[in-house]
Coordinates of all heavy atoms in Angstrom, one line a residue:
M356 N 141.0 184.0 137.6 CA 141.7 182.9 138.1 C 140.9 181.6 138.0 O 139.7 181.6 138.3 CB 142.0 183.2 139.6 CG 142.9 182.2 140.3 SD 143.2 182.6 142.0 CE 142.6 181.0 142.8
K357 N 141.6 180.6 137.5 CA 140.9 179.4 137.2 C 141.0 178.5 138.5 O 142.0 178.2 139.0 CB 141.5 178.6 136.0 CG 140.5 177.6 135.4 CD 141.2 176.8 134.3 CE 140.3 175.7 134.0 NZ 141.0 174.6 133.3
Q358 N 139.8 178.1 138.9 CA 139.8 177.2 140.1 C 139.7 175.8 139.8 O 139.1 175.4 138.8 CB 138.5 177.6 141.0 CG 138.9 178.3 142.2 CD 137.7 178.5 143.1 OE1 136.6 178.8 142.6 NE2 137.8 178.4 144.4
N359 N 140.4 175.0 140.6 CA 140.3 173.6 140.5 C 138.9 173.1 140.9 O 138.4 173.6 141.8 CB 141.4 172.9 141.4 CG 142.5 172.3 140.6 OD1 142.5 172.5 139.3 ND2 143.4 171.6 141.2
Q360 N 138.4 172.1 140.2 CA 137.1 171.6 140.5 C 137.3 170.6 141.7 O 137.7 169.4 141.4 CB 136.5 170.9 139.3 CG 136.1 171.8 138.2 CD 134.7 172.4 138.5 OE1 133.9 171.8 139.0 NE2 134.5 173.6 138.1
L361 N 137.1 171.0 142.9 CA 137.3 170.1 144.0 C 135.9 169.5 144.3 O 134.9 170.1 144.2 CB 137.8 170.9 145.2 CG 139.2 171.4 145.1 CD1 139.6 172.2 146.4 CD2 140.2 170.3 144.8
K362 N 136.0 168.2 144.6 CA 134.8 167.4 144.9 C 135.0 166.5 146.0 O 136.1 166.0 146.3 CB 134.4 166.6 143.6 CG 133.7 167.3 142.6 CD 133.2 166.3 141.5 CE 132.6 167.1 140.4 NZ 132.4 166.2 139.2
L363 N 133.9 166.3 146.7 CA 133.9 165.3 147.8 C 133.5 163.9 147.1 O 132.5 163.9 146.4 CB 132.8 165.7 148.8 CG 133.0 165.1 150.2 CD1 134.4 165.4 150.8 CD2 131.9 165.7 151.1
K364 N 134.2 162.9 147.4 CA 134.0 161.7 146.7 C 134.1 160.5 147.7 O 135.0 160.4 148.5 CB 135.0 161.5 145.6 CG 134.7 160.3 144.7 CD 135.6 160.4 143.4 CE 135.4 159.2 142.6 NZ 134.1 158.9 142.2
N365 N 133.2 159.5 147.6 CA 133.3 158.3 148.3 C 134.1 157.2 147.5 O 133.5 156.7 146.5 CB 131.9 157.8 148.7 CG 132.0 156.5 149.5 OD1 133.1 156.0 149.8 ND2 130.8 155.9 149.7
Y366 N 135.3 157.0 147.8 CA 136.1 156.1 147.0 C 135.6 154.7 147.0 O 135.9 153.9 146.2 CB 137.6 156.2 147.3 CG 138.3 157.1 146.4 CD1 139.1 158.1 146.8 CD2 138.1 156.9 145.0 CE1 139.7 158.9 145.9 CE2 138.7 157.7 144.1 CZ 139.5 158.7 144.5 OH 140.1 159.5 143.6
M367 N 135.0 154.4 148.2 CA 134.5 153.0 148.3 C 133.6 152.7 147.2 O 133.6 151.5 146.7 CB 133.8 152.9 149.7 CG 133.6 151.5 150.2 SD 135.1 150.5 150.2 CE 135.6 150.7 151.9
E368 N 132.9 153.7 146.7 CA 131.9 153.4 145.6 C 132.7 153.0 144.3 O 132.3 152.1 143.7 CB 131.2 154.8 145.4 CG 129.8 154.6 144.8 CD 129.1 155.9 144.7 OE1 128.9 156.6 145.8 OE2 128.7 156.3 143.6
D369 N 133.7 153.7 144.0 CA 134.6 153.3 142.9 C 135.1 151.9 143.0 O 135.2 151.2 142.0 CB 135.7 154.3 142.7 CG 135.4 155.6 142.0 OD1 134.1 155.8 141.8 OD2 136.3 156.3 141.6
I370 N 135.6 151.6 144.2 CA 136.3 150.4 144.4 C 135.2 149.2 144.2 O 135.5 148.2 143.6 CB 136.9 150.3 145.8 CG1 138.0 151.3 145.9 CG2 137.4 148.9 146.1 CD1 138.5 151.6 147.3
V371 N 134.0 149.4 144.8 CA 133.0 148.4 144.7 C 132.6 148.2 143.2 O 132.5 147.1 142.7 CB 131.8 148.8 145.5 CG1 130.5 148.1 145.1 CG2 132.1 148.6 147.0
V372 N 132.4 149.3 142.5 CA 132.0 149.2 141.1 C 133.1 148.5 140.3 O 132.8 147.6 139.4 CB 131.7 150.6 140.5 CG1 131.6 150.6 139.0 CG2 130.5 151.2 141.1
L373 N 134.4 148.8 140.5 CA 135.5 148.2 139.8 C 135.5 146.7 140.1 O 135.7 145.8 139.2 CB 136.8 148.8 140.3 CG 137.3 150.1 139.6 CD1 138.5 150.6 140.3 CD2 137.6 149.8 138.2
L374 N 135.4 146.4 141.4 CA 135.6 145.0 141.8 C 134.4 144.1 141.4 O 134.5 142.9 141.1 CB 135.8 144.8 143.3 CG 137.3 145.2 143.7 CD1 137.4 145.1 145.2 CD2 138.3 144.4 143.1
I375 N 133.2 144.7 141.3 CA 132.0 143.9 140.9 C 132.3 143.3 139.6 O 132.0 142.1 139.4 CB 130.8 144.8 140.9 CG1 130.1 144.8 142.2 CG2 129.8 144.3 139.8 CD1 128.8 145.5 142.3
E376 N 132.8 144.1 138.6 CA 133.0 143.5 137.3 C 133.9 142.3 137.3 O 133.7 141.3 136.7 CB 133.6 144.6 136.4 CG 132.8 145.9 136.3 CD 131.4 145.6 135.7 OE1 131.2 144.7 134.8 OE2 130.4 146.4 136.0
E377 N 134.9 142.4 138.2 CA 135.9 141.4 138.3 C 135.3 140.1 138.9 O 135.6 139.0 138.5 CB 137.0 141.9 139.2 CG 138.4 141.4 138.8 CD 139.5 142.1 139.7 OE1 139.7 143.3 139.5 OE2 140.0 141.4 140.5
V378 N 134.5 140.3 139.9 CA 134.0 139.2 140.7 C 132.9 138.5 139.9 O 132.8 137.3 139.9 CB 133.4 139.7 142.1 CG1 132.7 138.6 142.8 CG2 134.6 140.2 142.9
I379 N 132.0 139.2 139.3 CA 130.8 138.6 138.7 C 131.1 137.9 137.3 O 130.4 137.1 136.9 CB 129.6 139.5 138.5 CG1 129.8 140.6 137.5 CG2 129.1 140.0 139.9 CD1 128.6 141.4 137.2
K380 N 132.3 138.3 136.7 CA 132.5 137.7 135.4 C 132.7 136.2 135.4 O 132.4 135.5 134.4 CB 133.7 138.4 134.7 CG 135.0 138.1 135.2 CD 136.1 138.7 134.4 CE 137.5 138.3 134.9 NZ 138.4 139.4 135.1
D381 N 133.1 135.6 136.5 CA 133.3 134.2 136.6 C 132.1 133.5 137.2 O 132.1 132.3 137.5 CB 134.6 133.8 137.4 CG 135.8 134.4 136.8 OD1 135.9 134.5 135.6 OD2 136.7 134.9 137.6
K382 N 131.1 134.3 137.6 CA 130.0 133.7 138.3 C 128.8 133.5 137.4 O 128.5 134.3 136.5 CB 129.6 134.6 139.5 CG 130.6 134.7 140.5 CD 130.0 134.9 141.9 CE 131.0 134.8 143.0 NZ 131.4 133.4 143.3
D383 N 128.0 132.4 137.7 CA 126.9 132.1 136.9 C 125.6 132.8 137.5 O 124.7 132.2 138.0 CB 126.7 130.6 136.9 CG 125.6 130.2 136.0 OD1 125.3 130.9 135.0 OD2 125.0 129.1 136.2
I384 N 125.6 134.1 137.4 CA 124.5 134.9 137.9 C 124.1 136.0 136.9 O 124.8 136.2 135.9 CB 124.9 135.7 139.2 CG1 126.1 136.6 139.0 CG2 125.1 134.7 140.3 CD1 126.3 137.7 139.9
C385 N 122.9 136.5 137.1 CA 122.5 137.6 136.2 C 123.4 138.8 136.3 O 123.8 139.2 137.4 CB 121.0 138.0 136.6 SG 120.4 139.3 135.6
K386 N 123.8 139.4 135.2 CA 124.7 140.5 135.2 C 124.1 141.8 134.6 O 124.8 142.6 134.1 CB 126.0 140.1 134.4 CG 126.8 139.0 135.1 CD 127.8 138.4 134.2 CE 128.5 137.3 134.9 NZ 128.4 136.0 134.4
C387 N 122.8 141.8 134.7 CA 122.1 143.1 134.2 C 122.4 144.2 135.1 O 122.9 144.1 136.2 CB 120.6 142.8 134.0 SG 119.7 142.8 135.6
E388 N 122.1 145.4 134.6 CA 122.4 146.6 135.4 C 121.7 146.6 136.8 O 122.2 147.0 137.8 CB 122.0 147.9 134.6 CG 122.6 149.1 135.2 CD 122.3 150.4 134.4 OE1 121.3 150.4 133.7 OE2 123.0 151.3 134.6
Q389 N 120.4 146.2 136.7 CA 119.6 146.1 138.0 C 120.3 145.3 139.0 O 120.5 145.7 140.2 CB 118.2 145.5 137.7 CG 117.4 145.2 138.9 CD 116.6 146.4 139.4 OE1 115.8 146.9 138.8 NE2 117.0 146.8 140.7
C390 N 120.8 144.1 138.6 CA 121.4 143.2 139.6 C 122.8 143.7 140.1 O 123.1 143.7 141.2 CB 121.6 141.8 139.0 SG 120.0 140.9 138.9
R391 N 123.5 144.3 139.1 CA 124.8 144.9 139.5 C 124.7 146.0 140.5 O 125.4 146.1 141.4 CB 125.6 145.3 138.3 CG 126.3 144.1 137.6 CD 127.2 144.6 136.5 NE 126.4 145.4 135.6 CZ 126.8 145.9 134.5 NH1 128.1 145.8 134.2 NH2 126.0 146.6 133.7
L392 N 123.7 146.9 140.2 CA 123.5 148.0 141.2 C 122.9 147.5 142.5 O 123.3 148.1 143.5 CB 122.5 149.0 140.5 CG 123.1 149.8 139.3 CD1 122.1 150.7 138.7 CD2 124.3 150.6 139.8
D393 N 122.1 146.5 142.5 CA 121.6 145.9 143.8 C 122.8 145.4 144.6 O 122.8 145.6 145.8 CB 120.6 144.8 143.5 CG 119.2 145.3 143.1 OD1 118.9 146.5 143.4 OD2 118.4 144.5 142.6
I394 N 123.6 144.7 143.9 CA 124.8 144.1 144.6 C 125.7 145.3 145.1 O 126.1 145.2 146.3 CB 125.7 143.3 143.6 CG1 124.9 142.0 143.2 CG2 127.0 142.9 144.2 CD1 125.4 141.3 142.0
A395 N 125.9 146.3 144.3 CA 126.7 147.4 144.8 C 126.1 148.1 146.0 O 126.8 148.5 147.0 CB 126.9 148.5 143.6
A396 N 124.8 148.3 146.0 CA 124.1 149.0 147.1 C 124.2 148.2 148.4 O 124.5 148.8 149.4 CB 122.6 149.2 146.7
I397 N 124.0 146.9 148.3 CA 124.0 146.1 149.5 C 125.5 146.1 150.1 O 125.6 146.3 151.3 CB 123.6 144.6 149.2 CG1 122.1 144.6 148.8 CG2 123.9 143.7 150.3 CD1 121.6 143.3 148.2
A398 N 126.5 145.9 149.2 CA 127.8 145.9 149.7 C 128.2 147.3 150.2 O 128.8 147.4 151.3 CB 128.8 145.6 148.5
L399 N 127.8 148.4 149.6 CA 128.2 149.7 150.0 C 127.5 150.1 151.4 O 128.1 150.8 152.2 CB 127.8 150.8 149.0 CG 128.8 150.9 147.9 CD1 128.3 151.7 146.7 CD2 130.1 151.5 148.4
N400 N 126.3 149.5 151.6 CA 125.7 149.8 152.9 C 126.4 149.1 154.1 O 126.2 149.5 155.2 CB 124.2 149.3 152.9 CG 123.4 150.3 152.2 OD1 123.7 151.5 152.1 ND2 122.3 149.8 151.6
K401 N 127.2 148.1 153.8 CA 127.9 147.4 154.8 C 129.3 147.8 155.0 O 130.0 147.5 155.9 CB 127.8 145.9 154.6 CG 126.4 145.3 154.7 CD 126.4 143.9 154.6 CE 125.0 143.3 154.7 NZ 124.9 141.9 154.3
L402 N 129.8 148.6 154.0 CA 131.2 149.0 154.0 C 131.3 150.4 154.5 O 130.4 151.2 154.3 CB 131.8 148.9 152.6 CG 132.1 147.5 152.1 CD1 132.2 147.5 150.6 CD2 133.3 146.9 152.7
P403 N 132.4 150.8 155.2 CA 132.6 152.1 155.7 C 132.8 153.0 154.5 O 133.6 152.7 153.6 CB 133.8 152.1 156.6 CG 134.6 150.9 156.1 CD 133.6 149.9 155.6
P404 N 132.2 154.2 154.4 CA 132.6 155.1 153.3 C 134.0 155.7 153.4 O 134.5 155.7 154.6 CB 131.5 156.3 153.5 CG 131.1 156.2 154.9 CD 131.3 154.8 155.4
K405 N 134.6 156.0 152.3 CA 136.0 156.5 152.3 C 136.0 157.8 151.6 O 136.2 157.8 150.4 CB 137.0 155.5 151.7 CG 137.1 154.2 152.4 CD 138.0 154.4 153.7 CE 137.9 153.2 154.6 NZ 138.4 153.5 155.9
Y406 N 135.6 158.9 152.3 CA 135.5 160.2 151.6 C 136.9 160.8 151.5 O 137.6 160.9 152.4 CB 134.5 161.1 152.3 CG 133.1 160.7 152.0 CD1 132.3 160.0 153.0 CD2 132.5 161.0 150.8 CE1 131.0 159.7 152.7 CE2 131.2 160.7 150.5 CZ 130.5 160.0 151.4 OH 129.2 159.7 151.2
I407 N 137.1 161.4 150.3 CA 138.3 162.2 150.1 C 137.9 163.4 149.2 O 136.9 163.4 148.6 CB 139.5 161.4 149.5 CG1 139.2 161.0 148.1 CG2 139.9 160.2 150.3 CD1 140.4 160.8 147.3
V408 N 138.8 164.4 149.3 CA 138.6 165.5 148.4 C 139.4 165.3 147.2 O 140.6 165.0 147.3 CB 139.0 166.8 149.1 CG1 138.8 168.0 148.1 CG2 138.2 167.0 150.4
T409 N 138.8 165.4 146.0 CA 139.6 165.2 144.8 C 139.7 166.4 144.0 O 138.7 167.2 143.9 CB 138.9 164.1 143.9 OG1 137.7 164.6 143.4 CG2 138.7 162.8 144.6
G410 N 140.8 166.6 143.3 CA 141.0 167.6 142.3 C 141.0 166.9 141.0 O 140.8 165.7 140.9
Q411 N 141.4 167.6 140.0 CA 141.6 166.9 138.7 C 142.9 166.2 138.6 O 143.9 166.6 139.1 CB 141.6 168.0 137.5 CG 140.2 168.6 137.4 CD 140.3 169.9 136.7 OE1 141.3 170.5 136.6 NE2 139.2 170.4 136.1
G412 N 142.8 165.0 138.0 CA 144.1 164.2 137.8 C 144.5 163.3 138.9 O 144.9 162.2 138.6
E413 N 144.5 163.7 140.1 CA 145.0 162.9 141.2 C 144.2 161.7 141.5 O 144.6 160.8 142.2 CB 145.3 163.7 142.4 CG 143.9 164.3 142.9 CD 144.1 165.2 144.2 OE1 144.8 164.7 145.1 OE2 143.5 166.2 144.2
A414 N 143.0 161.7 141.0 CA 142.0 160.7 141.5 C 142.5 159.2 141.3 O 142.3 158.4 142.2 CB 140.7 160.9 140.8
Y415 N 143.1 158.9 140.1 CA 143.2 157.5 139.9 C 144.3 156.8 140.6 O 144.2 155.7 141.0 CB 143.2 157.3 138.4 CG 141.8 157.2 138.0 CD1 141.1 158.3 137.6 CD2 141.1 156.0 138.1 CE1 139.7 158.2 137.3 CE2 139.8 155.9 137.9 CZ 139.1 157.0 137.5 OH 137.7 157.0 137.2
A416 N 145.4 157.5 140.9 CA 146.5 156.9 141.7 C 146.0 156.5 143.1 O 146.3 155.4 143.6 CB 147.7 157.8 141.8
K417 N 145.2 157.4 143.6 CA 144.6 157.1 145.0 C 143.6 156.0 144.9 O 143.6 155.2 145.9 CB 144.0 158.4 145.5 CG 145.0 159.3 146.1 CD 144.3 160.5 146.8 CE 145.3 161.6 147.2 NZ 144.6 162.8 147.5
T418 N 142.8 155.9 143.9 CA 141.9 154.8 143.8 C 142.6 153.5 143.8 O 142.3 152.6 144.5 CB 141.1 154.9 142.5 OG1 140.5 156.2 142.4 CG2 140.0 153.9 142.5
D419 N 143.7 153.5 143.0 CA 144.5 152.3 142.9 C 145.0 151.8 144.3 O 145.0 150.7 144.6 CB 145.6 152.6 142.0 CG 146.2 151.3 141.4 OD1 145.5 150.4 141.1 OD2 147.5 151.2 141.4
L420 N 145.6 152.8 145.0 CA 146.1 152.5 146.3 C 145.1 152.0 147.3 O 145.2 151.0 147.9 CB 146.7 153.8 146.9 CG 147.5 153.7 148.2 CD1 148.8 153.1 148.0 CD2 147.6 155.1 148.9
L421 N 144.0 152.7 147.4 CA 142.9 152.3 148.3 C 142.3 151.0 147.8 O 141.9 150.2 148.6 CB 141.8 153.4 148.3 CG 142.1 154.7 149.0 CD1 141.0 155.6 148.9 CD2 142.4 154.4 150.5
C422 N 142.3 150.8 146.6 CA 141.7 149.6 146.0 C 142.4 148.4 146.6 O 141.8 147.4 147.0 CB 141.8 149.6 144.5 SG 140.9 148.3 143.7
R423 N 143.8 148.4 146.6 CA 144.5 147.3 147.2 C 144.3 147.1 148.7 O 144.1 146.1 149.2 CB 146.0 147.5 146.9 CG 146.5 146.6 145.7 CD 147.8 147.0 145.3 NE 147.8 148.1 144.4 CZ 148.8 149.0 144.2 NH1 149.9 148.9 144.9 NH2 148.7 149.9 143.3
Q424 N 144.3 148.3 149.3 CA 144.1 148.3 150.8 C 142.8 147.7 151.3 O 142.8 147.0 152.3 CB 144.2 149.7 151.3 CG 144.6 149.9 152.7 CD 144.9 151.4 153.0 OE1 145.1 152.2 152.1 NE2 144.8 151.7 154.3
F425 N 141.7 148.0 150.5 CA 140.4 147.6 151.0 C 139.8 146.4 150.2 O 138.7 146.0 150.5 CB 139.4 148.7 150.9 CG 139.8 149.9 151.9 CD1 140.3 151.0 151.3 CD2 139.8 149.7 153.2 CE1 140.7 152.1 152.2 CE2 140.2 150.7 154.1 CZ 140.7 151.9 153.6
R426 N 140.6 145.9 149.3 CA 140.2 144.9 148.4 C 139.5 143.7 149.1 O 138.4 143.2 148.8 CB 141.4 144.4 147.6 CG 141.1 143.7 146.4 CD 142.4 143.2 145.8 NE 142.1 142.2 144.8 CZ 141.8 142.5 143.5 NH1 141.8 143.7 143.1 NH2 141.5 141.5 142.7
T427 N 140.2 143.2 150.2 CA 139.7 142.0 150.9 C 138.3 142.2 151.5 O 137.4 141.5 151.4 CB 140.7 141.5 151.9 OG1 142.0 141.5 151.3 CG2 140.3 140.1 152.4
D428 N 138.2 143.4 152.2 CA 136.9 143.7 152.9 C 135.8 143.9 151.8 O 134.7 143.4 152.1 CB 137.1 145.1 153.6 CG 138.0 145.0 154.8 OD1 138.3 143.9 155.2 OD2 138.3 146.1 155.3
V429 N 136.2 144.5 150.7 CA 135.1 144.7 149.7 C 134.7 143.4 149.1 O 133.5 143.2 148.9 CB 135.7 145.7 148.6 CG1 134.7 145.8 147.5 CG2 135.9 147.1 149.2
L430 N 135.7 142.5 148.8 CA 135.4 141.2 148.2 C 134.5 140.4 149.1 O 133.5 139.8 148.6 CB 136.7 140.5 148.0 CG 137.5 140.9 146.7 CD1 138.8 140.1 146.6 CD2 136.6 140.7 145.5
I431 N 134.7 140.4 150.4 CA 133.8 139.7 151.3 C 132.4 140.2 151.2 O 131.5 139.4 151.1 CB 134.4 139.8 152.8 CG1 135.7 139.0 152.9 CG2 133.4 139.3 153.8 CD1 136.5 139.3 154.2
Q432 N 132.2 141.5 151.3 CA 130.9 142.1 151.2 C 130.2 141.9 149.8 O 129.0 141.6 149.8 CB 130.9 143.6 151.5 CG 131.3 143.9 152.9 CD 130.5 143.2 154.0 OE1 129.3 142.9 153.8 NE2 131.1 143.0 155.2
L433 N 131.0 141.9 148.8 CA 130.5 141.7 147.5 C 130.0 140.3 147.3 O 128.9 140.0 146.7 CB 131.6 141.9 146.4 CG 131.8 143.4 145.9 CD1 132.8 143.5 144.9 CD2 130.5 144.0 145.4
L434 N 130.8 139.3 147.8 CA 130.3 137.9 147.6 C 129.0 137.7 148.4 O 128.1 137.0 147.9 CB 131.4 137.0 148.1 CG 132.7 136.9 147.2 CD1 133.8 136.1 147.9 CD2 132.3 136.3 145.9
D435 N 128.9 138.3 149.6 CA 127.7 138.2 150.4 C 126.5 138.8 149.6 O 125.4 138.3 149.5 CB 128.0 139.0 151.6 CG 127.3 138.4 152.8 OD1 127.3 137.1 152.9 OD2 126.8 139.1 153.7
A436 N 126.8 140.0 149.0 CA 125.7 140.7 148.3 C 125.3 139.9 147.1 O 124.1 139.9 146.7 CB 126.2 142.1 147.9
I437 N 126.2 139.3 146.4 CA 125.9 138.5 145.2 C 125.0 137.4 145.6 O 124.1 137.1 144.9 CB 127.2 138.0 144.5 CG1 127.9 139.2 143.8 CG2 127.0 136.9 143.6 CD1 129.4 138.9 143.4
D438 N 125.3 136.8 146.7 CA 124.5 135.7 147.2 C 123.1 136.1 147.4 O 122.1 135.4 147.0 CB 125.2 135.2 148.5 CG 124.7 133.8 148.8 OD1 124.8 132.9 147.9 OD2 124.3 133.5 150.0
I439 N 122.9 137.3 148.1 CA 121.6 137.8 148.4 C 120.8 138.1 147.1 O 119.7 137.7 146.9 CB 121.7 139.1 149.3 CG1 122.3 138.7 150.7 CG2 120.3 139.7 149.4 CD1 122.7 139.9 151.5
V440 N 121.5 138.8 146.2 CA 120.8 139.3 145.0 C 120.5 138.1 144.1 O 119.4 138.0 143.4 CB 121.6 140.3 144.3 CG1 121.1 140.7 142.9 CG2 121.7 141.6 145.1
S441 N 121.4 137.1 144.0 CA 121.1 136.0 143.1 C 120.0 135.2 143.5 O 119.3 134.5 142.7 CB 122.4 135.2 142.8 OG 122.8 134.6 144.0
K442 N 119.7 135.2 144.8 CA 118.6 134.4 145.4 C 117.3 135.2 145.3 O 116.2 134.6 145.2 CB 118.9 134.0 146.8 CG 119.8 132.8 146.9 CD 120.2 132.5 148.3 CE 121.3 131.4 148.4 NZ 122.0 131.5 149.6
N443 N 117.4 136.5 145.3 CA 116.2 137.4 145.3 C 116.4 138.5 144.3 O 116.4 139.7 144.7 CB 115.9 138.0 146.7 CG 115.7 137.0 147.7 OD1 114.7 136.3 147.8 ND2 116.7 136.8 148.6
P444 N 116.4 138.2 143.0 CA 116.6 139.3 142.0 C 115.4 140.2 142.0 O 114.3 139.7 142.2 CB 116.8 138.6 140.7 CG 116.3 137.2 140.9 CD 116.4 136.9 142.4
H445 N 115.6 141.5 141.8 CA 114.5 142.5 141.8 C 113.8 142.5 140.4 O 113.3 143.5 140.0 CB 115.0 143.9 142.1 CG 115.3 144.0 143.6 ND1 115.9 145.1 144.1 CD2 114.9 143.2 144.6 CE1 116.0 145.0 145.5 NE2 115.4 143.8 145.8
H446 N 113.9 141.5 139.7 CA 113.2 141.4 138.4 C 112.8 139.9 138.2 O 113.4 139.0 138.8 CB 114.0 142.0 137.3 CG 115.3 141.3 137.1 ND1 115.5 140.0 136.7 CD2 116.6 141.7 137.4 CE1 116.8 139.7 136.6 NE2 117.5 140.7 137.1
N447 N 112.0 139.7 137.2 CA 111.6 138.3 136.9 C 112.8 137.6 136.2 O 113.4 138.2 135.3 CB 110.4 138.3 136.0 CG 109.2 138.9 136.7 OD1 109.0 138.7 137.9 ND2 108.4 139.6 136.0
T448 N 113.0 136.4 136.6 CA 114.0 135.6 135.9 C 113.4 134.9 134.7 O 112.2 134.5 134.8 CB 114.7 134.6 136.8 OG1 113.7 134.0 137.6 CG2 115.7 135.2 137.7
F449 N 114.1 134.7 133.7 CA 113.5 134.1 132.5 C 113.8 132.6 132.4 O 114.8 132.1 132.9 CB 114.1 134.7 131.2 CG 113.8 136.2 131.1 CD1 114.8 137.1 131.5 CD2 112.6 136.7 130.8 CE1 114.5 138.5 131.4 CE2 112.3 138.0 130.8 CZ 113.3 138.9 131.1
Ligands
LIG1221 ZN1 119.4 140.9 136.6

């Protein structure tokens, strides 16, 4: 019998990663991996986790739905995180 690969997943993480790309593309800030991950970490620490159980296939429709629902909250935290990271990058600026 073939079992579905069920996994526990924090959707907030996907939403943050998706929205970061959208938010930083118009901003005059460093867009390296270090800075993007720093921004994601700061935002995710302030946002409530949204754990769901995922199987194969169903993941994306739900991401889309949650994405719209939490978009505003996530955007607020992202802008805040961008502000923090752009003022204190964890690497030398050139
Ligand atoms: Zn950087």
Side-chain angles (χ1 to χ4, degrees):
M356 192 180 121
K357 202 184 168 200
Q358 250 185 321
N359 252 5
Q360 292 277 325
L361 293 178
K362 277 187 184 168
L363 201 54
K364 185 169 174 60
N365 179 7
Y366 262 130
M367 197 53 94
E368 209 176 299
D369 275 13
I370 296 167
V371 164
V372 169
L373 277 170
L374 285 179
I375 270 187
E376 303 298 330
E377 216 174 290
V378 173
I379 67 173
K380 72 172 185 234
D381 301 323
K382 293 211 173 284
D383 187 24
I384 56 159
C385 178
K386 293 165 179 121
C387 75
E388 194 178 22
Q389 169 86 63
C390 289
R391 278 185 306 179
L392 290 175
D393 280 345
I394 292 165
I397 292 168
L399 280 167
N400 280 334
K401 292 185 180 167
L402 289 161
K405 293 287 170 197
Y406 282 104
I407 64 156
V408 178
T409 67
Q411 292 161 337
E413 61 181 312
Y415 278 89
K417 279 185 188 165
T418 307
D419 198 43
L420 185 77
L421 286 177
C422 193
R423 256 168 277 154
Q424 202 173 340
F425 297 111
R426 202 185 161 86
T427 314
D428 291 348
V429 174
L430 280 177
I431 290 166
Q432 295 304 335
L433 275 181
L434 291 172
D435 217 37
I437 285 168
D438 200 49
I439 294 166
V440 171
S441 63
K442 282 174 187 156
N443 302 287
H445 282 169
H446 58 67
N447 295 324
T448 41
F449 298 104

